[in-house]
Amino acid sequence: MKSIFIYGITGDIGQRTARLLSEAGHRVSGVARNENKARALRDQDIDVVLGDVASASAQTHQAWLEGVDVVLFTAGAKSDDEAKIRAVDYQAVIHSAQAAMHAGVGAYVLVSAFPEAGRRRETTPGFECYMHYKKLADAWLVNSTLAWTILRPGRLTEAAPTGRVQAAAALPYGEIPRADFAAFVADAIRRGAYPQAIVEVTGAV
């Protein structure tokens, strides 16, 4: 049994992955800002603490990660404001990763973004800012001493899961059902798959 701490545990991918890991017998915990969403997960025997990843101190991150085997970071600012994007999608990755190193966490899994995301539509300054900080977070993590894994999903959809995905170092940009991606993430964590690797993930053709 592994102990897994999830940043972004009340988000769509975070919740799905947390449930799958918990159902598989692992000890799952995470941090959330919303008490109602946290309570819903606690009712499923998933431990959720209240906190804000954008402003948490180094000591707070370390307290969250005490005794944890794997960190999954799938939080996102979901904002066009650069300060918020930088705080969540870049600085919180660094702060949590540094805390993971101090706490002796065995693996750090980051959900990132496909480089080609959004390139077939008109993008906004906020989206370009988001992509910029996602790449900076990837670069920082790759150069850390952690046992890291970076997962880059294609465009996430609400389509019914197929149970089939493609995963490789480089793939053509495509779609993937949210349920399939969450299942892939949970399986990668269970197996300790893809150490020191950047993996692009799409639905099977």
Side-chain angles (χ1 to χ4, degrees):
M1 180 184 76
K2 292 181 178 180
S3 174
I4 300 126
F5 189 90
I6 301 177
Y7 288 86
I9 196 167
T10 58
D12 190 74
I13 298 302
Q15 286 191 54
R16 292 173 189 262
T17 306
R19 292 189 185 106
L20 290 169
L21 289 168
S22 180
E23 289 167 2
H26 299 287
R27 184 163 65 86
V28 182
S29 58
V31 58
R33 291 182 298 174
N34 185 292
E35 172 60 29
N36 290 333
K37 291 181 178 180
R39 189 181 302 114
L41 286 170
R42 291 188 196 116
D43 289 342
Q44 301 172 60
D45 295 323
I46 295 171
D47 184 25
V48 183
V49 297
L50 290 181
D52 186 350
V53 301
S55 59
S57 67
Q59 292 77 14
T60 298
H61 281 286
Q62 288 178 38
W64 289 340
L65 302 183
E66 193 67 35
V68 167
D69 299 311
V70 183
V71 168
L72 170 62
F73 194 102
T74 185
K78 296 181 175 64
S79 171
D80 285 335
D81 180 81
E82 181 172 1
K84 291 180 180 178
I85 296 169
R86 177 181 171 83
V88 176
D89 291 285
Y90 176 55
Q91 290 177 322
V93 173
I94 294 174
H95 294 160
S96 61
Q98 289 174 330
M101 286 187 279
H102 285 293
V105 172
Y108 189 105
V109 180
L110 174 64
V111 175
S112 187
F114 232 100
E116 293 83 6
R119 295 310 174 209
R120 292 189 177 182
R121 60 177 171 82
E122 184 176 351
T123 60
T124 65
F127 179 80
E128 293 300 332
C129 180
Y130 163 80
M131 294 297 290
H132 170 70
Y133 284 115
K134 278 291 191 184
K135 186 59 177 288
L136 290 182
D138 288 0
W140 191 94
L141 191 60
V142 165
N143 286 286
S144 76
T145 58
L146 280 166
W148 54 266
T149 299
I150 296 173
L151 303 178
R152 293 175 171 172
R155 190 174 77 83
L156 296 166
T157 74
E158 297 297 336
T162 67
R164 297 180 295 117
V165 302
Q166 296 182 98
L171 287 172
Y173 187 59
E175 297 181 343
I176 182 170
R178 294 175 189 275
D180 280 338
F181 181 63
F184 178 86
V185 175
D187 182 66
I189 289 173
R190 284 195 300 265
R191 295 190 297 113
Y194 310 109
Q196 316 305 108
I198 297 174
V199 184
E200 296 181 349
V201 189
T202 66
V205 177

